[in-house]
Amino acid sequence: MRYFLKKLSSLIITLLVISLLSFAAFSVIPGDAALAKLGTDATPEAVEQLREKYGLDKPLPERYLKWLAGAVQGDFGASYRYSTKTVSELIASRLPVTVIMAVMSFIIIIGVSIPLGIIAAKYSHKPPDTVINVGSQVTMAIPSFFLGIIITYIFGIILNLFKAGDYISPQKDFWACVRYLIFPSIAVALPKIAMVVKYLRNSLLAEVNKDYVRTAYSKGNTKDQVFKKHIFRNALIPVITFVAMVAAEILAGSLVIEQVFGIKGMGNLLVTSISSRDYPVVQAAVIYITSVVVIINFAVDILYQLADPRVRYS
Amino acid sequence: MKKRNYYLIIGIIITVVILVFTIIGQFWTPYSVTATSSSLKSLAPSAQHLFGTDNLGRDIFSRVMNGCGTTFFVAVCTVAIGCAVGIVIGALTGFYGGMLDEVVMRINDIVLSFPSVLLALIFISFLGKGTYNVILALGVLFIPSFARIVRSEVIRYKSQEFVKSAQVMGASNLRIIFVHIIPNTKVSLLTSVAIGFNNAVLAEASMSYLGLGVQPPVPSLGRMLAEAQGYIVSAPWYAITTGIVIVLIILGFSLISEGLRVYQD
């Protein structure tokens, strides 16, 4: 319980620090939002008026506290670019598709990489291992946007299995959206599969020669039992951290893949807001990404502690 | 008999070949990099135009040769920043330990736990678009990984005999760190430099693809791919050739780092 509270407090502190840092950073950028919105030839009075409307005339600490008070209640202010929408509305409309795609990619990653990792470790330095190794080395070298373009070309244009750019939001038609997201999810998953396979293989190979494995054999366990009950479980512990990082990355929004397939998710929102200097949205997106990373790390810490009691005392 | 290090050999061959083409491409290209021509629009690859031509009639091979220069330039600069600052931070925190070490390593862990392209994007949103801002953003982001490796190496070596004997001879701490310890870390450092290049090329291409990195008219592989995507039906070779070059550059560096790993320990 104390461990839990300690981790929880560090989670909250990290979030606060990052929110403060990003808030301060966006405030010192030359040329504020009012100026950006009205253009350089706006009258000083008009700029002053808009500044007042956004609250930009107040001192920084006051603005931060006000923002924080709103943020805690899920109110991140108004977007500069879409004058009719609040930041929260924008995020609420973009988040579902990112989450759906993350879940789909995650299922693909786990479903494919665990069997492949086991095969590679079982036949280490034999042909199946070499094939998997070379395959993952090459896959890792393909940038995700190129992979996306290749997938569009082969499956979309040559085989006509889906129509690129024909994105339907999940709010409109959930299943059509899921169908559209199959290929983008594969594009997101492939490079990650390569990494997880490599990681799992090395982790498994590191375990096989340990003493406890010999003990388990000497007790009369079969190869299968030793593998399932002892090696695999222990090898999985370091892999969890890695998989968690992958999960955080895909949940944070696959910027590039969303761009390639024209998906309107969190990644797309972040890129367009950065381009149009829509700082309240960027700020909220930063907080979202941070929260995802920090909360997943928190979950991993807790899981670890449950799986391996030694962690608590170190 | 020692097994041949195929990873390293193939990696070096790929990298050297591309590097040679890139260096030539900075001074001479078969066709102009920027001149457009309406009669040469979207030609398929042929003996005259190895990679074909793009939607404006520019020779893709020439543009790739020249564009690789931008990619390498960004990669070298970011790795240099990350490596130089990372070595200093890693060496000092590893050697002296204490409070400073605690704080710096905590920050390191936080930075490392974020997806790097996302962090770079957030940096870009502060700094603005453009080549030099991308270099700065990526360079800063690469510091933690170098710092962490150097730190663990310094800790490993600092209690060894040769360091003690240097101390007995009256060498200053700084001399011990940079003259005695750092040279011993070169294999691990080289491995991380290769991974760094790999990541830098990937990150630069992604940023330019998103339109936040290298700005036109400077040719950059990421930007070219972004353009090529619009012509995937009428000129698929544009995207495919450009993409394969990016893949080869990254593959070269990742094979080198994989090959170097054998020499660690």
Side-chain angles (χ1 to χ4, degrees):
Chain A
M1 197 58 206
R2 261 189 63 192
Y3 181 84
F4 181 82
L5 285 178
K6 207 176 119 195
K7 287 282 165 194
L8 190 68
S9 61
S10 88
L11 178 147
I12 293 167
I13 292 169
T14 315
L15 272 177
L16 275 178
V17 169
I18 301 232
S19 74
L20 182 61
L21 282 181
S22 60
F23 196 86
F26 284 122
S27 308
V28 296
I29 299 169
D32 66 12
L35 211 60
K37 187 160 187 171
L38 296 172
T40 39
D41 44 53
T43 59
E45 292 83 42
V47 173
E48 214 40 60
Q49 232 173 12
L50 200 61
R51 268 196 193 137
E52 229 164 273
K53 189 184 151 208
Y54 288 147
L56 291 172
D57 52 342
K58 307 255 169 51
L60 188 62
E62 195 186 325
R63 268 159 53 202
Y64 176 69
L65 287 179
K66 206 171 156 237
W67 176 84
L68 189 66
V72 174
Q73 299 163 36
D75 173 17
F76 291 91
S79 153
Y80 292 160
R81 196 160 67 110
Y82 305 95
S83 40
T84 54
K85 278 189 180 162
T86 67
V87 177
S88 309
E89 279 168 1
L90 269 174
I91 290 187
S93 71
R94 300 303 191 88
L95 196 54
V97 60
T98 295
V99 173
I100 294 171
M101 192 158 92
V103 170
M104 288 172 70
S105 332
F106 198 71
I107 293 172
I108 301 173
I109 293 170
I110 299 300
V112 177
S113 56
I114 288 182
L116 280 184
I118 293 174
I119 292 172
K122 233 178 191 161
Y123 299 95
S124 65
H125 304 293
K126 291 194 190 112
D129 179 37
T130 316
V131 170
I132 292 175
N133 240 331
V134 171
S136 51
Q137 205 71 33
V138 173
T139 317
M140 271 190 281
I142 303 179
S144 47
F145 51 91
F146 184 47
L147 192 65
I149 294 174
I150 297 175
I151 289 179
T152 318
Y153 185 60
I154 296 176
F155 295 100
I157 293 165
I158 297 180
L159 297 175
N160 240 327
L161 288 177
F162 76 107
K163 245 182 126 182
D166 232 12
Y167 165 70
I168 302 157
S169 75
Q171 287 90 340
K172 231 187 228 158
D173 184 346
F174 182 79
W175 289 109
C177 176
V178 168
R179 213 170 311 135
Y180 183 77
L181 289 179
I182 291 175
F183 288 102
S185 306
I186 294 174
V188 171
L190 270 180
K192 313 279 188 240
I193 288 174
M195 289 184 222
V196 177
V197 165
K198 221 173 133 185
Y199 211 85
L200 180 61
R201 170 192 179 269
N202 294 342
S203 177
L204 282 170
L205 288 181
E207 294 293 322
V208 260
N209 293 324
K210 287 199 176 154
D211 286 344
Y212 75 84
V213 176
R214 202 178 43 211
T215 312
Y217 276 123
S218 67
K219 281 179 168 170
N221 285 307
T222 63
K223 225 176 166 181
D224 222 39
Q225 283 170 324
V226 174
F227 183 80
K228 270 189 202 144
K229 288 207 175 132
H230 299 273
I231 301 176
F232 187 65
R233 279 197 176 178
N234 278 302
L236 218 49
I237 292 178
V239 177
I240 291 176
T241 326
F242 190 74
V243 169
M245 258 181 86
V246 169
E249 206 171 321
I250 52 181
L251 252 185
S254 311
L255 304 166
V256 177
I257 293 294
E258 286 184 8
Q259 201 81 353
V260 175
F261 289 92
I263 296 164
K264 301 263 181 289
M266 286 300 290
N268 173 275
L269 183 65
L270 181 62
V271 175
T272 46
S273 315
I274 288 175
S275 298
S276 61
R277 306 196 144 230
D278 194 349
Y279 293 130
V281 180
V282 180
Q283 169 84 6
V286 170
I287 297 298
Y288 163 71
I289 295 163
T290 319
S291 314
V292 167
V293 172
V294 178
I295 290 171
I296 287 185
N297 282 343
F298 173 72
V300 168
D301 281 341
I302 299 300
L303 270 181
Y304 254 49
Q305 192 250 135
L306 292 175
D308 186 352
R310 283 171 301 179
V311 176
R312 255 173 290 179
Y313 303 106
S314 61
Chain B
M1 208 185 88
K2 221 179 146 221
K3 223 182 121 206
R4 275 240 179 105
N5 197 334
Y6 287 109
Y7 277 152
L8 193 59
I9 298 170
I10 299 173
I12 289 176
I13 292 174
I14 295 176
T15 308
V16 167
V17 168
I18 294 179
L19 209 55
V20 167
F21 271 103
T22 307
I23 293 170
I24 297 172
Q26 304 315 301
F27 304 103
W28 176 85
T29 49
Y31 295 89
S32 161
V33 175
T34 46
T36 56
S37 153
S38 53
S39 59
L40 295 173
K41 257 187 210 166
S42 300
L43 295 178
S46 63
Q48 280 87 41
H49 299 279
L50 277 180
F51 288 1
T53 59
D54 67 6
N55 53 307
L56 297 171
R58 296 173 295 193
D59 180 50
I60 295 171
F61 189 72
S62 305
R63 282 177 65 76
V64 167
M65 272 173 83
N66 193 275
C68 283
T70 323
T71 304
F72 276 108
F73 175 70
V74 173
V76 168
C77 292
T78 48
V79 172
I81 294 175
C83 190
V85 183
I87 287 178
V88 173
I89 292 178
L92 295 180
T93 52
F95 195 82
Y96 292 105
M99 250 326 257
L100 179 76
D101 180 42
E102 239 354 81
V103 173
V104 173
M105 284 304 126
R106 282 279 52 170
I107 298 175
N108 256 357
D109 288 343
I110 293 177
V111 175
L112 280 174
S113 69
F114 282 88
S116 59
V117 172
L118 269 178
L119 264 193
L121 263 190
I122 294 168
F123 263 94
I124 293 299
S125 63
F126 299 142
L127 299 168
K129 305 172 194 175
T131 313
Y132 292 97
N133 289 339
V134 168
I135 291 175
L136 195 62
L138 292 179
V140 170
L141 291 181
F142 284 176
I143 294 172
S145 57
F146 284 105
R148 178 182 266 191
I149 284 155
V150 173
R151 175 178 173 273
S152 64
E153 292 279 291
V154 168
I155 290 175
R156 195 162 70 125
Y157 285 114
K158 82 175 174 190
S159 52
Q160 285 189 8
E161 292 296 318
F162 72 92
V163 172
K164 284 190 186 130
S165 70
Q167 266 163 343
V168 171
M169 284 168 73
S172 69
N173 281 343
L174 280 183
R175 188 179 160 82
I176 290 173
I177 294 174
F178 291 102
V179 178
H180 295 279
I181 297 181
I182 295 294
N184 278 304
T185 64
K186 60 176 179 287
V187 176
S188 326
L189 260 183
L190 262 179
T191 316
S192 10
V193 165
I195 301 172
F197 269 112
N198 175 45
N199 292 337
V201 171
L202 202 57
E204 187 275 324
S206 308
M207 307 274 260
S208 299
Y209 175 81
L210 293 172
L212 299 168
V214 178
Q215 300 296 315
V218 179
S220 130
L221 299 179
R223 271 206 75 78
M224 286 172 68
L225 254 184
E227 278 169 34
Q229 202 190 347
Y231 302 94
I232 189 84
V233 180
S234 59
W237 53 86
Y238 188 7
I240 292 168
T241 51
T242 315
I244 287 176
V245 173
I246 299 181
V247 171
L248 283 178
I249 297 176
I250 296 169
L251 190 63
F253 285 125
S254 79
L255 287 177
I256 291 176
S257 79
E258 199 62 23
L260 282 173
R261 229 178 273 270
V262 181
Y263 302 109
Q264 262 174 313
D265 306 316

